[in-house]
Amino acid sequence: MMLYPAAPEAATRFLKFVNASPTPFHAVHNAAIRLESVGFKKIREKDEWEKELVPGGKYYFTRNQAALVAFTLPQKWKQGAGLSIVATHVDSPNLKVRPVSKRTKQGYLQVGVETYGGGIWHSWLDRDLSIAGRVVISQGNGSFQSKLVKIDQPILRVPTLAIHLDRGVNDNLKFNQETEFVPILGLLEGQLNAAKYDDKDKFPERPKVASSVQENHHPQLLQLLAGELSVAPEEIHDFELSLYDTQPSVLGGINNEFVFSPRLDNLVSSFCAVEAIAESVQANYFPTLEGNVNCIALFNHEEIGSVSTTGAESTLIPFLLSRLSPTPATHSRSVSQSFLISADMGHAVHPNYTSKHEEKHRPVMNGGIAIKTNAKQRYASDAIGSFIVKQLVERKGGKVQEFEVRNDMPCGSTVGPMLSKLGIRTVDVGNPMLSMHSIRETAGSHDIQHAIDLFHSFFEGFAALDKELTVD
């Protein structure tokens, strides 16, 4: 029997996180569970939580179930302290169920979907798909609640056209994303013969039918959601659902050196940020930590521009700054002492397409975190930020790689440049990966620990390092 090398422990933990997090809502929920396991206290933006803060405290809050901010206060914390922030995003390109999704064609039940972000959409063809997200249901007392749902069984598929009907498919694969990219749910005959929910013993009191939802989606789809949530279909009033690949994330490669998974961009960075701040509060240095407030921010909607209530362009970080340092003087001091690591996955050199990388900037998987720079400020990194990251990584015995795009190719961007507009010093970094925005991406299994180590070193040592650096 073949014996494979032991899997990196951090990568194994990541697999559990990503497999349980098919949507931003689930990622935020699972991050909150991890934080609470090490003593973080949930606070709410609508409350006057400033009055409850104590030095050494550990806190987090969420917004709209889709973004999370967590922070820890040093033992000698006072207003005006800087923030050491690791910022990531929890959304990925996917297909979202339309508000009116009911489709039937040639005897098939189909579900209307909308593309979200810049996905490699052909990678979604012929995959075993299901749905996950949040559902608004009515409660027995007349109130409403938003509950998470994840259907584990494959129920949807976007089938390709047989090669016999499209002889040129291997030369030029093209399809219309509106008319030729509609998943099938089942057969119309199956719906006509399906048993309907009419169990009066289980659902004795029927609420008023949420007519628009019942009319806009296939009854079988609503029944499936209702069964998963243990409610009647009529108790479903709205939902926000995404499609996801039911094939689990796994370790791969001859030496378990890879992670094969959906949503590596950017759940790897988000997982590492959560792990680092969770581990920091259990470290020996935490009871005597001085200097900055350590913070992580998991944003939504980066893949479509970050302009939303839960995106990086929102008030999440500005409001945190103003509530921790409410006067103009303390706010200004806080910003000047703050530093932000924008962590988003980067592009590893591809063995079949080496010309797509600048010759001297070709990051490899498992070679350590990559600093992303761009003279046109598509990334926010500069020499100071680069120096700080290199110092922090070296203190953990790690290595740093460099990434820049070619002059004849466009450059992507992330949350770093927009957050740097707050006046906070910022650097963009990321773990190198292949097949970014495919339904199945590839990353280095050892790089997960590399990122955790960087963020942990950042939380432990940035304030002291910053005192050694003079920049007017």
Side-chain angles (χ1 to χ4, degrees):
M1 183 176 68
M2 173 96 49
L3 295 178
Y4 295 95
E9 194 271 335
T12 301
R13 287 186 283 123
F14 169 73
L15 294 181
K16 296 178 181 179
F17 176 79
V18 69
N19 284 329
S21 304
T23 73
F25 310 122
H26 292 81
V28 166
H29 174 75
N30 291 319
I33 291 175
R34 175 68 171 116
L35 294 172
E36 290 187 0
S37 73
V38 292
F40 277 76
K41 178 182 179 181
K42 184 174 183 178
I43 55 179
R44 290 174 170 79
E45 288 189 282
K46 65 181 180 180
D47 296 334
E48 295 184 88
W49 50 258
E50 301 92 330
K51 299 178 180 179
E52 303 175 7
L53 298 181
V54 295
K58 307 180 288 286
Y59 309 93
Y60 82 94
F61 61 88
T62 62
R63 181 182 286 182
N64 199 23
Q65 294 181 287
L68 178 146
V69 174
F71 60 96
T72 64
L73 301 180
Q75 297 298 328
K76 297 181 180 179
W77 171 77
K78 59 182 179 180
Q79 293 180 357
L83 272 65
S84 299
I85 308 170
V86 176
T88 75
H89 68 89
V90 290
D91 62 316
S92 302
N94 68 89
L95 302 178
K96 292 187 175 291
V97 176
R98 290 189 181 275
V100 182
S101 74
K102 185 188 293 184
R103 305 281 193 277
T104 56
K105 196 170 186 179
Q106 296 297 309
Y108 289 98
L109 302 178
Q110 292 184 286
V111 175
V113 296
E114 180 183 8
T115 58
Y116 173 92
I120 302 178
W121 299 124
H122 70 76
S123 68
W124 287 71
L125 302 176
D126 293 330
R127 303 296 302 184
D128 300 339
L129 306 174
S130 193
I131 53 174
R134 61 178 176 178
V135 181
V136 178
I137 62 172
S138 55
Q139 307 278 75
N141 59 4
S143 63
F144 301 89
Q145 182 181 7
S146 175
K147 297 188 68 174
L148 300 189
V149 67
K150 176 176 177 282
I151 304 298
D152 292 326
Q153 70 184 89
I155 61 171
L156 293 162
R157 195 174 181 89
V158 186
T160 51
L161 185 63
I163 194 170
H164 313 81
L165 305 176
D166 186 8
R167 292 292 184 179
V169 65
N170 289 327
D171 299 320
N172 188 20
L173 173 61
K174 289 185 177 180
F175 58 93
N176 187 292
Q177 293 178 18
E178 176 64 23
T179 61
E180 298 170 334
F181 200 43
V182 186
I184 58 173
L185 176 67
L187 295 172
L188 182 59
E189 179 183 358
Q191 176 173 289
L192 296 174
N193 295 331
K196 298 186 179 297
Y197 267 70
D198 196 23
D199 189 339
K200 294 183 179 180
D201 293 328
K202 187 174 182 181
F203 306 113
E205 296 183 9
R206 293 299 183 93
K208 183 178 179 180
V209 173
S211 58
S212 63
V213 172
Q214 312 302 319
E215 295 169 359
N216 293 341
H217 306 283
H218 286 299
Q220 284 183 323
L221 181 62
L222 295 175
Q223 290 170 6
L224 185 65
L225 293 170
E228 189 70 22
L229 295 168
S230 299
V231 299
E234 293 83 0
E235 293 177 82
I236 295 176
H237 289 260
D238 213 333
F239 54 64
E240 191 172 348
L241 299 174
S242 297
L243 275 61
Y244 77 97
D245 188 357
T246 59
Q247 182 179 350
S249 305
V250 295
L251 295 176
I254 195 66
N255 293 308
N256 279 329
E257 61 262 68
F258 301 131
V259 177
F260 302 146
S261 172
R263 303 180 297 281
L264 295 178
D265 174 29
N266 190 34
L267 288 190
V268 167
S269 303
S270 299
F271 169 81
C272 293
V274 172
E275 286 299 298
I277 201 167
E279 291 177 6
S280 75
V281 302
Q282 297 177 299
N284 292 333
Y285 65 77
F286 184 74
T288 58
L289 189 64
E290 298 182 5
N292 278 12
V293 174
N294 288 334
C295 174
I296 63 171
L298 313 185
F299 294 108
N300 194 17
H301 295 141
E302 187 274 346
E303 299 292 355
I304 55 172
S306 297
V307 183
S308 70
T309 59
T310 53
E313 287 259 36
S314 72
T315 56
L316 279 164
I317 295 299
F319 279 5
L320 177 64
L321 281 165
S322 64
R323 296 184 76 164
L324 292 177
S325 299
T327 69
T330 56
H331 185 276
S332 178
R333 290 202 305 272
S334 177
V335 169
S336 69
Q337 297 176 88
S338 296
F339 191 86
L340 185 143
I341 295 178
S342 166
D344 200 354
M345 299 295 280
H347 301 293
V349 63
H350 195 303
N352 300 335
Y353 302 92
T354 56
S355 64
K356 296 297 183 179
H357 274 66
E358 204 283 325
E359 184 178 1
K360 301 298 183 182
H361 298 83
R362 293 176 172 175
V364 297
M365 289 184 287
N366 291 326
I369 202 101
I371 299 173
K372 301 188 282 187
T373 58
N374 179 256
K376 302 175 183 67
Q377 285 295 291
R378 296 292 290 171
Y379 299 125
S381 307
D382 60 14
I384 303 304
S386 178
F387 166 79
I388 289 172
V389 168
K390 291 174 182 177
Q391 290 293 308
L392 294 171
V393 170
E394 288 175 4
R395 292 181 180 189
K396 290 290 186 178
K399 296 181 180 179
V400 172
Q401 305 183 80
E402 302 279 359
F403 174 77
E404 274 199 341
V405 298
R406 294 167 54 102
N407 285 324
D408 56 0
M409 293 185 66
C411 180
S413 189
T414 183
V415 301
M418 59 192 68
L419 290 168
S420 69
K421 292 186 292 186
L422 299 173
I424 297 176
R425 294 167 293 172
T426 302
V427 64
D428 276 294
V429 304
N431 281 355
M433 64 175 288
L434 296 174
S435 305
M436 185 181 290
H437 289 192
S438 171
I439 199 170
R440 298 289 291 186
E441 301 167 323
T442 299
S445 59
H446 296 278
D447 280 334
I448 294 174
Q449 187 63 57
H450 294 157
I452 294 173
D453 288 344
L454 166 60
F455 303 155
H456 201 162
S457 179
F458 178 53
F459 294 142
E460 178 183 5
F462 168 74
L465 175 61
D466 197 32
K467 292 180 180 178
E468 302 170 0
L469 178 63
T470 301
V471 181
D472 293 331

